[in-house]
Amino acid sequence: MSKEIYLVRHGAVPEGICNGRRLDVEPTEEGEMQTILNMLALNRLGVFTIISSGMRRTTGAIQECTRILNMEHEVDERFIDFDAGDWTGKRWTDIAREDPEQYSNCMHDGRKLIVPGGESMEWFEARVMQGWEDLLK
C-alpha cells in the first residue's frame, strides 16, 4: 500500500525573533489564515490525518479545522521545532552581532550550527528522521 505524505510548514509567526521549541509563540493572523487555507487544500486532496508537533503555532487553527472538516489530528513531538538554546527569544540582529560565525552557519549551512545550550543539527535531524521513517512504515 502506498502513502502520500504532504509536508506543510506552520503559518507565519512574529518576525525577527528566534523561536525554536522553547518559545511557543502564536501564529500571526496571516499565519492562522495560511493554516486554514492549507487545511482546506489538504481536505480537497483527500487527506484525513494531520500530524503536527504540539506547539501553538502548529495546533491552533488545525484543531478547529480538523473538527469542522472531520479529519484526525495527531501530535508527534518528534516534529517539534529545533531547540534554539540560548538564542531562544533573541532578535536575529542581536544574534548576528553577538555570534557572527554561528549566525552565518545558521543562515548558510545549518549542519555546522552549534547553538549554545541547544540541540545540535545532528540530534534534530535524527529525531525528525525517526518520525518520518515511522510514518513511512
Side-chain angles (χ1 to χ4, degrees):
M1 180 175 100
S2 67
K3 291 183 182 182
E4 288 188 22
I5 298 175
Y6 299 89
L7 179 62
V8 180
R9 191 172 190 276
H10 62 74
V13 295
E15 293 183 18
I17 294 179
C18 179
N19 296 310
R21 73 187 300 166
R22 297 183 193 186
L23 186 59
D24 196 6
V25 298
E26 296 280 350
T28 61
E29 187 173 309
E30 176 187 20
E32 287 284 324
M33 184 55 66
Q34 291 166 339
T35 299
I36 291 167
L37 292 173
N38 283 330
M39 294 293 294
L40 290 170
L42 291 169
N43 185 259
R44 281 193 302 272
L45 290 169
V47 173
F48 55 89
T49 302
I50 304 295
I51 301 170
S52 73
S53 76
M55 299 193 81
R56 290 186 306 210
R57 59 183 165 258
T58 63
T59 60
I62 288 176
Q63 290 175 335
E64 187 66 14
C65 286
T66 53
R67 185 185 64 74
I68 292 168
L69 298 171
N70 198 28
M71 300 167 80
E72 294 180 28
H73 178 221
E74 299 175 12
V75 172
D76 188 331
E77 294 300 337
R78 292 175 296 184
F79 297 117
I80 199 167
D81 211 339
F82 175 73
D83 184 347
D86 295 349
W87 287 8
T88 302
K90 287 188 174 184
R91 300 196 62 71
W92 284 108
T93 52
D94 294 338
I95 294 168
R97 185 177 32 78
E98 294 169 8
D99 196 348
E101 181 181 354
Q102 288 305 324
Y103 176 80
S104 178
N105 287 340
C106 180
M107 295 297 131
H108 304 292
D109 187 359
R111 292 193 163 283
K112 295 180 182 177
L113 179 63
I114 303 170
V115 178
E119 175 176 47
S120 74
M121 288 309 272
E122 182 179 359
W123 294 346
F124 174 69
E125 183 178 297
R127 171 172 52 80
V128 172
M129 289 307 296
Q130 184 61 57
W132 274 107
E133 288 171 12
D134 288 350
L135 280 176
L136 295 173
K137 288 181 184 175

